[in-house]
Amino acid sequence: MPKHSNNQRKMLWKKFLNNQSKWGHFMKYNIAHHIPGRMRIHTARHCFSKGEAYGMEQLLSHQNYVFFVRVNCDTGSILIKYEEEKREDLLNFLSSVQKEDVREIPKESFSPQRELKQEFERKLFQLLFKRFVLRTLLPNPVGTVMAIKNYLPIFTKGIHALRNKKINVDVLDAVSIGISLCQGSYSTAGSVMMLLSVSEILESYTKDRVRLDLSDSLAIHVDKVWKIDGNETVSVSLHNVKIYDHLLIQTGMMIPVDGTVVSGAATVDESSMTGESIPSEKTQGCTVYAGTVISDGNLVVRVNALTKDSRINKIVELIDTGEERKAAIQSKAEHIADSIAPYSFLAFGLTYLLTRNLTKSLSILMVDYSCAIKLATPISVITAIQEASNNDIMVKGGKYLETLANCEVMVFDKTGTLTSSSPTVTDIVAFEPYSKDEVLRISACIEEHFPHSVAKAIVQKSFEEGLCHEEEHAQVEYVVAHGITTMLHGKKAIIGSAHFVFDDEKTILTEENKNVIEQYSNRSSLIYLGIDNKLAGFICIDDPPRPEAKEVIAALKQAGVQSVHMITGDGKNAASYIAKELGIENFQYQVLPEHKVDLIEKIRETVPTVTMVGDGINDSPALSMADVSIAMKDASDIAREVADIVILSNDLNDIVFIRRLGNQMIRRIHKNFSTVIAANSIFLLSGLFGFASPQATALLHNASTMLIALSSMKKYNETQ
């Protein structure tokens, strides 16, 4: 019987299945295991390609009685969880499936998290199989050759460190394993190398997993864009954008694609991609990149590439473990780890000089304090970031989590942060010759271009009232933290705060206007509409505190925050009312963006660390100035980009959660330090006094290192 390669066997099997589908059902299977509501069935091995496995999962998931499906294309195993009483329906469906029913999912649609997990499991299985199964089947000479081969990369790393004039963990590993090999202790050397390999696989998997999760978290933020379609500008899903489409991108918005500017002028913040803090000027013909943010101005961009990868790569850079984003405690641990290595060699040398016993000396060399410290600390940090991601919180680096844990003062923006993220219009006041409907319609028409919670409230109210607000105005200009200006039927129209409308734009305010305004300003925030230098009317915005806000402020104080401040651009009455409701003693009202920055600087003169929580374009300067900054889910693109931590839910309790998580992370790292020192000191003394051989101390040391590392990967809310 001729022999076939694996690929040939797969091709022959697929050909057989294709032929079978002409005469019978595609799904030939047997039930391998079954309990009510859970069934595992087996088809032939390699029955599905990887793309077809995803397609089979999709097909089964569309059955409303199926809760969970997982298909293994290598083994032909299918695990299904379903409604218990629907067993016969499930079996009938499986028996009716035809080859053409199973859609092959393209590779780019595969789940990266799942692929990463499968790769991790494959590497771990191969490593353990080689060590505990293959090694027992091979003769000793072959095992010796394999041990030496596995040692060569470790030896190379040690030599590389010495060439760079470093005596670190790599040198320690190379020397300790090398001495074991020279003594003929191949079993000890093999065990040590296996544990080191497991550690590397675990660390790599954990880091890659958290990067993927955080990438997905941030990637969902840009879902709608303004597309220019002929003479109209329409809101469309980003998924429906095609190459060569023209997109309108305005102040504060994130550029969602790589493209070329075809008209307009703007300054673009490219710091997340280039590291350059000064915004870059973009005009016709300039190239712009996905993930950058327009600081000021408007651009029409022609789409050059629909590159999800460009966005994902940018996110990976944000959460990379570069020195500038590492927690200080992590950098300290790595420095301590490398600085301990020379002392291990010193102890080895002194022990040999005093005892002339190479076995005792080697027992000491096999014990390394630095290995566990250097491995467990970054895993503790990454696990904390992973935990935050699982709770819809994106942390852009370990140092921000550590800083938040030590923060003494928290400064909150009011609107959209402490107050409801969906403020509502409670009243509309119009002055002659305008009506209430006209004031609301014009305001909604102007405001709909800018993603702010108050603007959304005005647009929503117009929709509820059934008012059509076709664009009758010219191009709008957004003045950060002030308002919007445009031309309406040849007249200048402005909408915004009292400071902007009356002080900056010099809109006439009569005594009659003042008297009416006083009647509405006690509790509500007012948005003013001026046309042709006269007050056309104003809109009352009721922005009540979030239901959980008072509780959160109290919880933060209990968690060690010394003082909570509130800042807002609203008037004194509205600010005072909210502050009193929430139990905040320190609040500032009618604050402009530059004044917010001044306030943060002033607070930093008295305390080491300050946290700023905000959501609007006008909060961005203050967010940049704070030691650690937090943005909420509905924040503007630029606020989310500037922020160090992004809350991807609308729940302020997540701020309390992330602070406590930071405290738990620091406690875990300190606990790891103590455990490493205590455990390895015992192992070292055991070797020194002859209670343990080098093989035993090596195994004890590496086993304890792995246990500490695995413990560092546990969820914080389960362990602390």
Side-chain angles (χ1 to χ4, degrees), residues 249-262:
I249 308 167
Q250 299 170 310
T251 299
M253 293 183 178
M254 181 179 291
I255 298 173
V257 294
D258 293 345
T260 302
V261 178
V262 295

Side-chain angles (χ1 to χ4, degrees), residues 175-276:
V175 172
S176 60
I177 296 170
I179 291 176
S180 291
L181 290 173
C182 291
Q183 284 189 313
S185 302
Y186 300 112
S187 178
T188 298
S191 297
V192 172
M193 287 188 287
M194 183 204 69
L195 288 168
L196 288 175
S197 297
V198 171
S199 299
E200 289 176 2
I201 292 171
L202 280 171
E203 184 177 6
S204 175
Y205 167 67
T206 307
K207 288 179 179 179
D208 289 342
R209 185 181 66 182
V210 72
R211 286 173 180 164
L212 282 174
D213 287 345
L214 294 185
S215 297
D216 286 348
S217 297
L218 193 55
I220 63 172
H221 284 169
V222 179
D223 51 359
K224 295 287 186 180
V225 293
W226 288 98
K227 175 184 171 182
I228 297 178
D229 188 2
N231 296 324
E232 296 182 352
T233 303
V234 295
S235 177
V236 300
S237 169
L238 180 60
H239 297 294
N240 295 329
V241 171
K242 300 185 176 78
I243 293 177
Y244 304 127
D245 281 350
H246 286 193
L247 305 181
L248 173 63
I249 308 167
Q250 299 170 310
T251 299
M253 293 183 178
M254 181 179 291
I255 298 173
V257 294
D258 293 345
T260 302
V261 178
V262 295
S263 66
T267 55
V268 178
D269 181 357
E270 297 181 319
S271 59
S272 59
M273 184 171 292
T274 66
E276 178 59 53

Side-chain angles (χ1 to χ4, degrees), residues 158-183:
I159 293 296
H160 180 74
L162 289 174
R163 284 177 177 173
N164 290 316
K165 300 179 181 178
K166 293 180 180 178
I167 300 178
N168 56 18
V169 177
D170 292 335
V171 178
L172 199 61
D173 290 338
V175 172
S176 60
I177 296 170
I179 291 176
S180 291
L181 290 173
C182 291
Q183 284 189 313

Side-chain angles (χ1 to χ4, degrees), residues 396-446:
K396 297 180 182 177
K399 82 171 188 179
Y400 306 121
L401 198 54
E402 181 184 19
T403 303
L404 179 63
N406 296 323
C407 149
E408 296 175 302
V409 174
M410 296 194 76
V411 181
F412 285 85
D413 172 61
K414 181 184 81 71
T415 305
T417 304
L418 286 174
T419 59
S420 172
S421 59
S422 300
T424 57
V425 175
T426 57
D427 212 337
I428 302 155
V429 176
F431 297 108
E432 293 291 345
Y434 298 95
S435 67
K436 288 186 178 182
D437 284 354
E438 286 178 309
V439 169
L440 179 58
R441 180 177 57 80
I442 294 169
S443 299
C445 186
I446 299 172

Side-chain angles (χ1 to χ4, degrees), residues 111-117 204-221 311-312 315-316 319 382-396 646 648 713 715:
S111 167
Q113 286 88 349
R114 179 173 164 185
E115 295 299 306
L116 177 66
K117 184 180 179 182
S204 175
Y205 167 67
T206 307
K207 288 179 179 179
D208 289 342
R209 185 181 66 182
V210 72
R211 286 173 180 164
L212 282 174
D213 287 345
L214 294 185
S215 297
D216 286 348
S217 297
L218 193 55
I220 63 172
H221 284 169
R311 180 64 180 145
I312 290 173
I315 298 166
V316 171
I319 61 171
I382 291 171
T383 302
I385 296 176
Q386 173 70 54
E387 183 112 353
S389 175
N390 290 341
N391 285 274
D392 293 330
I393 303 170
M394 190 193 69
V395 182
K396 297 180 182 177
V646 181
L648 300 174
M713 292 179 67
K715 288 185 177 181

